[in-house]
Amino acid sequence: YTADMAGTKRLLLETGFMTVTKATYSKDGSKLAFIEQAYEEALVTVIDIKTGNVNVINDETVELGDVIMGVRLNDDGTKLYVMSGNNTYALREYDFATSTYTVIVDNILVESDIMLSDGYLYYCDVVDEYEAVVRKSVLGGERELVHKGAQFTLSPDGTKLAVIADCHQVICITHL
């Protein structure tokens, strides 16, 4: 379901036995992407809110792995970013215009959600034997270390990063 501010619900899709584990809108609100999980199966589904068209991004032709940790849509909903894999993980970009995936980063060692802000993808990986939050431009280039830590969130405006920094559960705020 989606609901407007008055609480009026609109059924978008019946997921059957699947459980929706994460969902995200494009910034313009035109698309909704979500992860559906069932025993030994995970799907990434995208719904065009205006047309109601449903697109299952990973079917028998695209293997994302057994675990899908995160999905993010870019601002205008033309690209989808997916963090997934099995024992190691990859960050992929799906282009709706060409219906193709491109691996942006592979051999990621940490199960991590992803965040997208101001043209950068944020995720966790191992850097110099420590788990850390890193960022990578959607345009390419090398990843950059942002802060040591294994879990994080970005502020809605993308200017601050809160990181659980060590085993003592210290939360650090980093201004980006």
Side-chain angles (χ1 to χ4, degrees):
Y1 289 94
T2 60
D4 60 21
M5 296 308 284
T8 305
K9 292 180 182 178
R10 177 176 154 221
L11 179 64
L12 293 176
L13 183 69
E14 291 279 350
T15 60
F17 293 107
M18 304 288 269
T19 299
V20 175
T21 58
K22 290 190 180 174
T24 186
Y25 274 102
S26 58
K27 193 171 188 176
D28 68 2
S30 65
K31 289 190 176 139
L32 174 66
F34 54 93
I35 301 168
E36 297 178 87
Q37 193 81 40
Y39 183 73
E40 294 187 14
E41 183 179 13
L43 300 174
V44 176
T45 303
V46 178
I47 297 176
D48 185 309
I49 298 299
K50 295 174 188 165
T51 66
N53 288 343
V54 177
N55 189 356
V56 177
I57 302 300
N58 58 317
D59 54 20
E60 60 276 351
T61 62
V62 178
E63 177 57 45
L64 294 179
D66 294 334
V67 180
I68 301 174
M69 282 90 50
V71 291
R72 289 285 179 250
L73 287 156
N74 69 344
D75 289 352
D76 63 3
T78 58
K79 303 214 186 234
L80 173 74
Y81 299 94
V82 178
M83 176 71 79
S84 66
N86 292 318
N87 296 321
T88 61
Y89 306 97
L91 180 56
R92 295 171 175 88
E93 176 185 84
Y94 180 82
D95 186 325
F96 288 97
T98 62
S99 299
T100 58
Y101 269 108
T102 303
V103 174
I104 297 174
V105 182
D106 62 358
N107 295 318
I108 296 170
L109 301 176
V110 178
E111 285 189 20
S112 174
D113 196 359
I114 52 176
M115 298 276 183
L116 175 65
S117 180
D118 201 27
Y120 285 93
L121 290 159
Y122 293 81
Y123 60 96
C124 290
D125 199 3
V126 173
V127 178
D128 297 328
E129 300 181 19
Y130 295 97
E131 290 183 351
V133 179
V134 296
R135 73 179 185 175
K136 182 163 176 64
S137 171
V138 296
L139 300 176
E142 296 297 315
R143 71 180 185 178
E144 302 171 38
L145 173 65
V146 178
H147 200 290
K148 288 182 181 178
Q151 295 180 351
F152 70 99
T153 190
L154 283 174
S155 61
D157 65 0
T159 62
K160 292 183 254 347
L161 177 79
V163 180
I164 298 177
D166 61 23
C167 63
H168 301 293
Q169 304 297 305
V170 175
I171 298 178
C172 299
I173 306 295
T174 300
H175 294 271
L176 301 172

